[in-house]
Amino acid sequence: MTTDSSERLYSDDLAQRVETGDRLAPGQRLTKDWPVLTYGGTPVVKTDEWQLSIWGEVEQELTWSYEDLLALGLTRRLNDIHCVTHWSRYDNDWEGVLWSDLIAKVGLKSSALAVMFHSYGGYTTNVPLEDLARDDHAMLGIRHDGKQISSDHGGPVRAVIPSLYFWKSAKWVGGIEFLAQDRPGFWEMYGYHLHGDPWTEERYA
Ligand SMILES: Nc1nc2c(c(=O)[nH]1)N[C@H]1C(S)=C(S)[C@@H](COP(=O)(O)O)O[C@H]1N2
Ligand SMILES: [Mo]
């Protein structure tokens, strides 16, 4: 990929960080490979069995199939990921359904303030709606570096929220619960920060 096309796929924030040499979040080390970080087993979910349930502070609860999700359209984004265990990986090339495109299809109640992502296998993680709205790279990821996301890395559908530590990017997403009040998910209940901004090192509470 040429530098020019990479730059166009960056957020303004990342493009500026690349330019000013302020790209690695504090306390992080760069890795070229892609570690697998999973608590527990690896759910293997086939695309024709995968479903997304949407409930909570919504006008109408929804269940989407994989085709329903793809019908919202795929967008490509290039971004960096920062894991709370101190590794970072640059230039992850994602294709998926942008959060903004998804939210346009869901009738949110004005009481909705945060989301809880629910994964196949039981993992959960919470993210304020404000952060998802601000992060124009937030998506449900389908492809990474030109290939279907593998089961290890959360395929067929995982969250990608590059503005927060990577534990917020739930793998094997099967449910999105809209919350009237933010509440801790799995790691957050075990002492991880409720919010998780890598630039201010919101690692642990
Ligand atoms: N369902 C689920 N999602 C998850 C996790 C997990 O254990 N289960 N681990 C989180 C953590 S701590 C990180 S760093 C990233 C790792 O994603 P990767 O294995 O694709 O690198 O996924 C996040 N999402
Ligand atoms: Mo992590």
Side-chain angles (χ1 to χ4, degrees):
M1 187 182 294
T2 70
T3 308
D4 278 346
S5 70
S6 300
E7 278 171 1
R8 279 200 302 275
L9 293 167
Y10 288 158
S11 63
D12 292 347
D13 177 62
L14 181 54
Q16 192 178 341
R17 289 185 180 285
V18 169
E19 205 174 296
T20 59
D22 177 30
R23 187 171 185 179
L24 192 60
Q28 297 294 107
R29 283 184 303 274
L30 192 58
T31 177
K32 290 251 180 308
D33 57 6
W34 189 10
V36 171
L37 267 96
T38 300
Y39 181 85
T42 300
V44 177
V45 187
K46 298 197 186 112
T47 53
D48 59 353
E49 288 162 4
W50 179 88
Q51 287 197 320
L52 179 66
S53 304
I54 296 177
W55 75 96
E57 304 301 310
V58 291
E59 297 299 344
Q60 208 186 331
E61 299 191 345
L62 302 165
T63 304
W64 287 342
S65 68
Y66 189 68
E67 280 66 41
D68 294 336
L69 181 70
L70 292 195
L72 302 187
L74 298 187
T75 302
R76 193 167 156 221
R77 291 279 191 260
L78 198 63
N79 51 52
D80 298 346
I81 56 189
H82 305 287
C83 171
V84 72
T85 63
H86 300 277
W87 59 268
S88 295
R89 187 182 191 274
Y90 289 168
D91 285 326
N92 296 276
D93 185 335
W94 303 101
E95 284 166 83
V97 176
L98 286 181
W99 181 258
S100 51
D101 291 337
L102 182 142
I103 216 71
K105 285 275 170 186
V106 177
L108 277 192
K109 291 191 175 165
S110 59
S111 49
L113 269 188
V115 304
M116 187 70 78
F117 289 99
H118 292 260
S119 298
Y120 283 88
Y123 184 89
T124 55
T125 190
N126 60 298
V127 182
L129 278 179
E130 212 185 346
D131 288 84
L132 290 163
R134 194 172 22 229
D135 184 343
D136 76 339
H137 283 215
M139 63 162 72
L140 291 184
I142 307 288
R143 299 168 68 77
H144 178 274
D145 289 354
K147 296 188 292 268
Q148 293 284 122
I149 299 173
S150 65
S151 293
D152 277 349
H153 287 298
V157 180
R158 75 169 298 162
V160 179
I161 307 165
S163 58
L164 298 174
Y165 279 123
F166 206 36
W167 90 77
K168 296 290 186 179
S169 293
K171 306 199 276 191
W172 317 288
V173 169
I176 301 177
E177 178 186 6
F178 287 87
L179 306 172
Q181 214 186 337
D182 202 7
R183 68 163 200 263
F186 175 74
W187 281 123
E188 293 83 7
M189 284 192 285
Y190 286 100
Y192 280 33
H193 200 282
L194 200 62
H195 184 230
D197 179 354
W199 299 99
T200 55
E201 289 199 78
E202 293 176 338
R203 294 176 191 273
Y204 307 104

